[in-house]
Amino acid sequence: MEFLRENIERVRDRIGAAARRRGRNPEDITLVAVTKGVPAEIIEKGIELGLEHLGENRAQEFLKKYPLLQGKGVHWHFIGHLQRNKVRYIWDKVDLIHSVDSLRLAQELNRRALEGGRKIKILVQVNVAREEGKFGVAPEDLLPLVRQMASLEGLCIEGLMTLAPWLPDPEEVRPVFRRLYELSREVEALSLPGVQMRYLSMGMSNDFEVAIEEGANLVRIGRAIFGKNT
Ligand SMILES: *Cc1c(COP(=O)(O)O)cnc(C)c1O
């Protein structure tokens, strides 16, 4: 498991360096280790090595791993497309859902939250780059959608998430991250009840440093941690 220790150290160093380049405190940036496709034993090692936040993008895979890793004090993040019929299985097991992109999904989450007597924390996923076939609301639909979601009392809307297009040079996606930051300021300026732009979830293995320079405070990193040849 030496590779895992080294990868985690290297990622943390790079997060710290990117934060300091912008005069930010590295401790304000949360590393979400994306564990899709990673066996529970390896994840357990990662937890021993200090990983505290884990992210999964599929409900089924998450539900298989969740019981195996219970009681280890980790925080789970749901980061993938969420179908409404899966909400009831996962809503009370995750700390934050990064990928809410429709009013109907928000309403279903709200229904569970009100029934269960516990608020659900969500981020709204934005398709900043308007990529075909990718999830997320179009930038121009974000403000109207957040206004509608704000009336759902079971939800805490805590920020925005985006998936940047994959480009070999991460510099090229900088405008995408910058735009998500600006959108979060626009949402904040609405001063809606239950809406507070605490989190910007952006940046993955190939582009997290640029994302941090543009204001990310949740980075979702899989391959750079769990890949053996990174
Ligand atoms: C897989 C995944 C990641 C992590 O991607 P890596 O390139 O492995 O770092 C981040 N966010 C989402 C939504 C993902 O599905």
Side-chain angles (χ1 to χ4, degrees):
M1 293 303 159
E2 205 42 40
F3 80 97
L4 195 53
R5 182 189 306 276
E6 284 167 13
N7 286 356
I8 293 171
E9 260 172 40
R10 193 173 324 126
V11 165
R12 287 206 190 280
D13 286 349
R14 288 169 60 190
I15 289 173
R20 282 188 292 271
R21 279 199 288 282
R22 288 298 156 107
R24 302 181 58 194
N25 184 349
E27 286 176 19
D28 294 340
I29 293 153
T30 298
L31 168 60
V32 178
V34 177
T35 53
K36 65 180 177 218
V38 179
E41 312 87 75
I42 309 268
I43 303 173
E44 230 174 301
K45 274 280 165 228
I47 297 168
E48 283 166 25
L49 292 167
L51 297 177
E52 294 172 333
H53 293 259
L54 306 180
E56 282 284 340
N57 67 338
R58 297 228 164 111
Q60 254 176 341
E61 189 176 342
F62 165 67
L63 289 167
K64 266 193 213 141
K65 286 174 188 167
Y66 177 80
L68 302 175
L69 297 164
Q70 244 180 323
K72 301 201 177 286
V74 291
H75 304 279
W76 283 103
H77 296 246
F78 195 83
I79 62 173
H81 179 63
L82 180 57
Q83 289 171 299
R84 279 177 295 140
N85 63 4
K86 299 278 167 36
V87 164
R88 63 190 161 126
Y89 303 111
I90 70 140
W91 76 274
D92 57 348
K93 300 180 180 65
V94 298
D95 284 296
L96 186 65
I97 299 173
H98 292 224
S99 44
V100 179
D101 64 356
S102 74
L103 187 60
R104 291 174 77 200
L105 175 58
Q107 286 166 334
E108 175 62 19
L109 287 162
N110 186 56
R111 204 161 65 79
R112 292 290 160 191
L114 296 179
E115 272 176 21
R118 192 180 117 187
K119 295 211 181 205
I120 301 178
K121 295 184 197 172
I122 65 158
L123 309 180
V124 181
Q125 181 173 355
V126 187
N127 187 357
V128 177
R130 300 168 194 282
E131 283 185 282
E132 293 264 342
K134 283 235 177 130
F135 294 104
V137 295
E140 65 273 18
D141 296 334
L142 175 66
L143 270 58
L145 178 65
V146 172
R147 278 186 201 278
Q148 288 178 301
M149 286 179 175
S151 67
L152 304 173
E153 290 178 0
L155 303 184
C156 298
I157 302 166
E158 304 218 311
L160 305 180
M161 179 270 230
T162 199
L163 268 162
W166 194 90
L167 294 168
D169 178 4
E171 271 305 322
E172 289 184 58
V173 294
R174 190 181 289 280
V176 170
F177 298 137
R178 193 164 288 176
R179 184 77 188 113
L180 194 71
Y181 172 81
E182 288 165 5
L183 287 168
S184 78
R185 295 304 94 200
E186 290 173 29
V187 172
E188 190 70 52
L190 299 175
S191 300
L192 296 166
V195 180
Q196 225 182 350
M197 293 288 101
R198 289 200 176 108
Y199 299 114
L200 269 187
S201 170
M202 53 189 198
M204 319 197 327
S205 292
N206 61 311
D207 56 19
F208 68 90
E209 288 148 305
V210 175
I212 289 168
E213 289 171 8
E214 297 301 330
N217 57 6
L218 285 174
V219 287
R220 311 178 308 267
I221 301 181
R223 283 171 304 133
I225 293 176
F226 295 106
K228 288 188 186 161
N229 306 307
T230 47

